[in-house]
PDB file of all heavy atoms in Angstrom:
ATOM      1  N   ASN A1108    -102.830  -5.562  47.939  1.00  0.00           N
ATOM      2  CA  ASN A1108    -104.234  -5.159  47.967  1.00  0.00           C
ATOM      3  C   ASN A1108    -104.526  -4.260  49.169  1.00  0.00           C
ATOM      4  O   ASN A1108    -105.219  -3.240  49.054  1.00  0.00           O
ATOM      5  CB  ASN A1108    -105.127  -6.397  47.992  1.00  0.00           C
ATOM      6  CG  ASN A1108    -106.602  -6.069  48.095  1.00  0.00           C
ATOM      7  OD1 ASN A1108    -107.210  -6.249  49.145  1.00  0.00           O
ATOM      8  ND2 ASN A1108    -107.184  -5.577  47.016  1.00  0.00           N
ATOM      9  N   ALA A1109    -103.984  -4.620  50.335  1.00  0.00           N
ATOM     10  CA  ALA A1109    -104.167  -3.794  51.533  1.00  0.00           C
ATOM     11  C   ALA A1109    -103.482  -2.446  51.369  1.00  0.00           C
ATOM     12  O   ALA A1109    -104.031  -1.399  51.743  1.00  0.00           O
ATOM     13  CB  ALA A1109    -103.629  -4.528  52.759  1.00  0.00           C
ATOM     14  N   CYS A1110    -102.273  -2.456  50.797  1.00  0.00           N
ATOM     15  CA  CYS A1110    -101.545  -1.200  50.580  1.00  0.00           C
ATOM     16  C   CYS A1110    -102.315  -0.269  49.652  1.00  0.00           C
ATOM     17  O   CYS A1110    -102.354   0.960  49.860  1.00  0.00           O
ATOM     18  CB  CYS A1110    -100.169  -1.481  49.977  1.00  0.00           C
ATOM     19  SG  CYS A1110     -99.015  -2.306  51.090  1.00  0.00           S
ATOM     20  N   GLN A1111    -102.903  -0.835  48.624  1.00  0.00           N
ATOM     21  CA  GLN A1111    -103.650  -0.008  47.664  1.00  0.00           C
ATOM     22  C   GLN A1111    -104.853   0.646  48.316  1.00  0.00           C
ATOM     23  O   GLN A1111    -105.210   1.785  47.969  1.00  0.00           O
ATOM     24  CB  GLN A1111    -104.061  -0.867  46.470  1.00  0.00           C
ATOM     25  CG  GLN A1111    -102.882  -1.260  45.587  1.00  0.00           C
ATOM     26  CD  GLN A1111    -103.240  -2.274  44.512  1.00  0.00           C
ATOM     27  OE1 GLN A1111    -104.295  -2.905  44.561  1.00  0.00           O
ATOM     28  NE2 GLN A1111    -102.348  -2.446  43.548  1.00  0.00           N
ATOM     29  N   LYS A1112    -105.473  -0.027  49.269  1.00  0.00           N
ATOM     30  CA  LYS A1112    -106.589   0.592  49.995  1.00  0.00           C
ATOM     31  C   LYS A1112    -106.100   1.780  50.820  1.00  0.00           C
ATOM     32  O   LYS A1112    -106.732   2.849  50.846  1.00  0.00           O
ATOM     33  CB  LYS A1112    -107.259  -0.438  50.909  1.00  0.00           C
ATOM     34  CG  LYS A1112    -107.997  -1.545  50.174  1.00  0.00           C
ATOM     35  CD  LYS A1112    -108.619  -2.518  51.181  1.00  0.00           C
ATOM     36  CE  LYS A1112    -109.344  -3.665  50.481  1.00  0.00           C
ATOM     37  NZ  LYS A1112    -109.929  -4.623  51.460  1.00  0.00           N
ATOM     38  N   ILE A1113    -104.979   1.594  51.514  1.00  0.00           N
ATOM     39  CA  ILE A1113    -104.430   2.683  52.323  1.00  0.00           C
ATOM     40  C   ILE A1113    -103.968   3.822  51.432  1.00  0.00           C
ATOM     41  O   ILE A1113    -104.204   5.004  51.709  1.00  0.00           O
ATOM     42  CB  ILE A1113    -103.266   2.169  53.195  1.00  0.00           C
ATOM     43  CG1 ILE A1113    -103.763   1.105  54.175  1.00  0.00           C
ATOM     44  CG2 ILE A1113    -102.586   3.322  53.927  1.00  0.00           C
ATOM     45  CD1 ILE A1113    -102.670   0.415  54.948  1.00  0.00           C
ATOM     46  N   ARG A1114    -103.311   3.452  50.325  1.00  0.00           N
ATOM     47  CA  ARG A1114    -102.817   4.487  49.410  1.00  0.00           C
ATOM     48  C   ARG A1114    -103.991   5.281  48.812  1.00  0.00           C
ATOM     49  O   ARG A1114    -103.880   6.501  48.606  1.00  0.00           O
ATOM     50  CB  ARG A1114    -101.973   3.844  48.314  1.00  0.00           C
ATOM     51  CG  ARG A1114    -101.395   4.844  47.336  1.00  0.00           C
ATOM     52  CD  ARG A1114    -100.263   4.257  46.540  1.00  0.00           C
ATOM     53  NE  ARG A1114     -99.930   5.088  45.402  1.00  0.00           N
ATOM     54  CZ  ARG A1114     -98.813   4.996  44.699  1.00  0.00           C
ATOM     55  NH1 ARG A1114     -97.906   4.076  45.034  1.00  0.00           N
ATOM     56  NH2 ARG A1114     -98.584   5.780  43.678  1.00  0.00           N
ATOM     57  N   ARG A1115    -105.085   4.602  48.551  1.00  0.00           N
ATOM     58  CA  ARG A1115    -106.267   5.301  48.044  1.00  0.00           C
ATOM     59  C   ARG A1115    -106.775   6.308  49.082  1.00  0.00           C
ATOM     60  O   ARG A1115    -107.137   7.445  48.739  1.00  0.00           O
ATOM     61  CB  ARG A1115    -107.346   4.286  47.688  1.00  0.00           C
ATOM     62  CG  ARG A1115    -108.545   4.878  46.984  1.00  0.00           C
ATOM     63  CD  ARG A1115    -109.311   3.826  46.190  1.00  0.00           C
ATOM     64  NE  ARG A1115    -109.630   2.643  46.987  1.00  0.00           N
ATOM     65  CZ  ARG A1115    -109.142   1.431  46.751  1.00  0.00           C
ATOM     66  NH1 ARG A1115    -108.283   1.239  45.749  1.00  0.00           N
ATOM     67  NH2 ARG A1115    -109.484   0.396  47.498  1.00  0.00           N
ATOM     68  N   ASN A1116    -106.780   5.890  50.356  1.00  0.00           N
ATOM     69  CA  ASN A1116    -107.182   6.811  51.420  1.00  0.00           C
ATOM     70  C   ASN A1116    -106.243   8.015  51.483  1.00  0.00           C
ATOM     71  O   ASN A1116    -106.680   9.171  51.626  1.00  0.00           O
ATOM     72  CB  ASN A1116    -107.177   6.104  52.777  1.00  0.00           C
ATOM     73  CG  ASN A1116    -108.192   4.985  52.866  1.00  0.00           C
ATOM     74  OD1 ASN A1116    -109.117   4.923  52.065  1.00  0.00           O
ATOM     75  ND2 ASN A1116    -108.017   4.105  53.842  1.00  0.00           N
ATOM     76  N   LEU A1117    -104.937   7.746  51.387  1.00  0.00           N
ATOM     77  CA  LEU A1117    -103.953   8.821  51.451  1.00  0.00           C
ATOM     78  C   LEU A1117    -104.031   9.722  50.223  1.00  0.00           C
ATOM     79  O   LEU A1117    -103.838  10.946  50.322  1.00  0.00           O
ATOM     80  CB  LEU A1117    -102.542   8.231  51.585  1.00  0.00           C
ATOM     81  CG  LEU A1117    -102.201   7.566  52.919  1.00  0.00           C
ATOM     82  CD1 LEU A1117    -100.864   6.858  52.836  1.00  0.00           C
ATOM     83  CD2 LEU A1117    -102.178   8.619  54.043  1.00  0.00           C
ATOM     84  N   THR A1118    -104.299   9.111  49.080  1.00  0.00           N
ATOM     85  CA  THR A1118    -104.401   9.896  47.847  1.00  0.00           C
ATOM     86  C   THR A1118    -105.575  10.873  47.912  1.00  0.00           C
ATOM     87  O   THR A1118    -105.458  12.050  47.527  1.00  0.00           O
ATOM     88  CB  THR A1118    -104.556   8.950  46.635  1.00  0.00           C
ATOM     89  OG1 THR A1118    -103.401   8.112  46.533  1.00  0.00           O
ATOM     90  CG2 THR A1118    -104.697   9.743  45.336  1.00  0.00           C
ATOM     91  N   GLU A1119    -106.698  10.396  48.399  1.00  0.00           N
ATOM     92  CA  GLU A1119    -107.862  11.273  48.532  1.00  0.00           C
ATOM     93  C   GLU A1119    -107.577  12.415  49.515  1.00  0.00           C
ATOM     94  O   GLU A1119    -107.948  13.571  49.279  1.00  0.00           O
ATOM     95  CB  GLU A1119    -109.076  10.466  48.988  1.00  0.00           C
ATOM     96  CG  GLU A1119    -109.583   9.498  47.922  1.00  0.00           C
ATOM     97  CD  GLU A1119    -110.686   8.607  48.439  1.00  0.00           C
ATOM     98  OE1 GLU A1119    -110.994   8.672  49.654  1.00  0.00           O
ATOM     99  OE2 GLU A1119    -111.248   7.832  47.637  1.00  0.00           O
TER     100      GLU A1119
END
Side-chain angles (χ1 to χ4, degrees):
N1108 177 254
C1110 291
Q1111 289 172 345
K1112 292 180 181 179
I1113 298 172
R1114 181 163 166 164
R1115 188 158 51 245
N1116 296 342
L1117 290 172
T1118 298
E1119 291 174 355

